[in-house]
Amino acid sequence: KLTFFSAGSYELFEKQAPNVQKEIKKEFTIIEEPNDKAIKKSKKLGYLPTKSKTASVNENRGDFLPSTTQMAIDYLSSRSTNGFFLKVEGARIDKSAHNNDYSAVVREVLDFDKAVEAAIRFAEKDGNTLVIISADHETGALALRDGNIKEGKMKAMFVSKGHTPIMVPLFAYGPQSKLFGGVQENSDVSNKILQLLAK
Ligand SMILES: [Zn+2]
């Protein structure tokens, strides 16, 4: 059962059927910008930024992804006595790669990296949190060549506009992180998470 969610925009939420909106509002306090009172007092929270929408970093999304990751960590960790599960997606990396847009891919990855930083910093302090970072697939078959460390330059080339079967990185930090080493099926990642949650 969800305790916190954030995505899209309030404009999109208002386009949902009235009964859907009503059902969600019955359970969740919905905020359109960070709101200390709602964050402190609500039992369940939905954060739907009015302006951020699902813009890319290049379209001035700002720090929405890392700051909302931090908000979610604070919200969930202060409410649970038995831990929590949080999933954060940097969905615009994929969209930018479909467009073969080098600058957007780099900026989206750097923005996602800040969200990872928020999670790792919490895990370091908490000492009992597992952070797993991966992707559901590669997009664009991005090839890098002619790298020059001195000049800080390299050449990049997209070979495709679609999803590819290229293997993706899988990083894990914290307790049980050894389970996520080596080469594995992507479905094994979710199966292992479920096994760990059942313990
Ligand atoms: Zn895609």
Side-chain angles (χ1 to χ4, degrees):
K1 284 184 181 172
L2 277 180
T3 310
F4 178 98
F5 69 87
S6 180
S9 72
Y10 198 80
E11 282 165 28
L12 291 174
F13 177 69
E14 283 182 316
K15 285 182 188 158
Q16 304 295 316
N19 62 320
V20 173
Q21 290 186 46
K22 212 172 135 193
E23 282 297 307
I24 294 173
K25 279 186 169 168
K26 212 161 70 183
E27 262 197 84
F28 289 85
T29 303
I30 303 291
I31 57 171
E32 293 170 59
E33 51 191 56
N35 172 332
D36 284 343
K37 199 175 148 204
I39 291 171
K40 253 186 207 145
K41 299 205 166 157
S42 62
K43 287 197 173 124
K44 293 182 175 190
L45 191 67
Y47 172 33
L48 300 171
T50 314
K51 287 175 195 142
S52 295
K53 294 190 187 172
T54 40
S56 68
V57 169
N58 279 350
E59 290 162 347
N60 297 321
R61 187 174 67 229
D63 73 342
F64 171 71
L65 188 65
S67 66
T68 307
T69 303
Q70 189 62 56
M71 185 197 290
I73 291 169
D74 294 342
Y75 193 81
L76 295 169
S77 64
S78 67
R79 268 158 187 79
S80 170
T81 50
N82 194 27
F84 62 90
F85 176 83
L86 170 66
K87 178 178 175 283
V88 177
E89 182 179 15
R92 278 286 182 151
I93 300 169
D94 174 60
K95 281 206 173 94
S96 308
H98 279 298
N99 294 334
N100 286 182
D101 183 336
Y102 299 103
S103 133
V105 167
V106 170
R107 287 182 185 184
E108 291 293 342
V109 170
L110 290 174
D111 188 59
F112 182 70
D113 192 54
K114 288 186 197 152
V116 172
E117 182 186 346
I120 299 278
R121 284 198 192 280
F122 173 80
E124 269 178 349
K125 219 164 61 182
D126 181 64
N128 196 28
T129 295
L130 171 64
V131 182
I132 302 161
I133 303 123
S134 195
D136 47 351
H137 56 78
E138 201 273 347
T139 304
L142 181 60
L144 305 175
R145 61 186 178 92
D146 299 340
N148 187 322
I149 291 175
K150 264 191 197 157
E151 292 179 19
K153 283 182 182 170
M154 64 188 167
K155 284 181 184 162
M157 189 201 274
F158 283 106
V159 183
S160 149
K161 290 219 167 206
H163 297 171
T164 73
I166 293 173
M167 285 205 275
V168 295
L170 173 61
F171 303 110
Y173 172 87
Q176 307 285 345
S177 54
K178 279 185 184 150
L179 286 174
F180 299 90
V183 175
Q184 38 193 301
E185 295 281 339
N186 62 1
S187 51
D188 282 351
V189 176
S190 56
N191 289 336
K192 285 176 183 177
I193 291 170
L194 288 173
Q195 278 167 20
L196 290 172
L197 287 172
K199 274 188 183 174

